[in-house]
Amino acid sequence: MHRRVYLAALGTAVSASLAGCSSAVSGVAGDPCSGEDCHIGMNRTQFLPDVYEISVGDTVVWKNTSEADHTITAYDNGIPDGADFFATGGFEDQESARHAWQGQRGGRLGTRETFEHTFEVPGTYEYFCIPHERAEMNGKIVVSE
């Protein structure tokens, strides 16, 4: 009989312990840049957050907070007229960035590496991760005056 009481108490303690772990994990997964020097983090197939709002002249810092390699690549037709194209690796357009990735993983942002870009033109900027585009890893920066 004492054995059943012990096992029941042990099960309750383990459940309480795991409940605390799951909430801690979900908090980290939701905001990987909390307490970090970045604005947008990444998991395996998502930018976190996937929509980020700023003002003209602000700089956004992305940080690869996952174990996978990623890129940050603007869509050529997804940035406002007159805005600068942006991509990890410093490429001047989407085609060059794709070609570099396919050839030698050009523009690769490794784990814990950062990339930053300053937005000077108001509007919506759409971007994606080349190796995870099929998994719909994309994001938007909304820049207002």
Side-chain angles (χ1 to χ4, degrees):
M1 195 75 168
H2 292 298
R3 181 173 171 230
R4 286 189 181 142
V5 170
Y6 172 75
L7 290 175
L10 182 62
T12 301
V14 168
S15 292
S17 225
L18 291 176
C21 289
S22 66
S23 65
V25 169
S26 66
V28 170
D31 186 6
C33 285
S34 179
E36 296 277 337
D37 54 348
C38 62
H39 302 108
I40 301 173
M42 300 165 210
N43 69 17
R44 183 79 172 123
T45 57
Q46 291 179 304
F47 291 105
L48 302 168
D50 61 344
V51 177
Y52 193 71
E53 297 182 13
I54 60 169
S55 297
V56 169
D58 287 350
T59 299
V60 174
V61 178
W62 288 263
K63 185 172 190 174
N64 184 350
T65 52
S66 79
E67 297 300 318
D69 288 341
H70 294 292
T71 70
I72 298 157
T73 309
Y75 283 108
D76 287 334
N77 62 355
I79 60 176
D81 290 339
D84 291 334
F85 180 84
F86 61 96
T88 49
F91 303 103
E92 294 189 17
D93 58 39
Q94 187 178 329
E95 182 182 345
S96 299
R98 283 185 191 279
H99 181 72
W101 174 263
Q102 292 167 356
Q104 297 177 343
R105 296 175 78 121
R108 177 183 85 83
L109 192 68
T111 300
R112 299 290 175 228
E113 292 181 334
T114 61
F115 171 76
E116 63 181 57
H117 181 76
T118 301
F119 294 84
E120 300 292 349
V121 176
T124 299
Y125 295 72
E126 297 178 359
Y127 65 94
F128 68 105
C129 173
I130 293 171
H132 301 109
E133 183 178 22
R134 288 187 179 167
E136 298 182 16
M137 185 172 181
N138 52 51
K140 289 182 185 179
I141 305 293
V142 179
V143 182
S144 52
E145 295 196 58

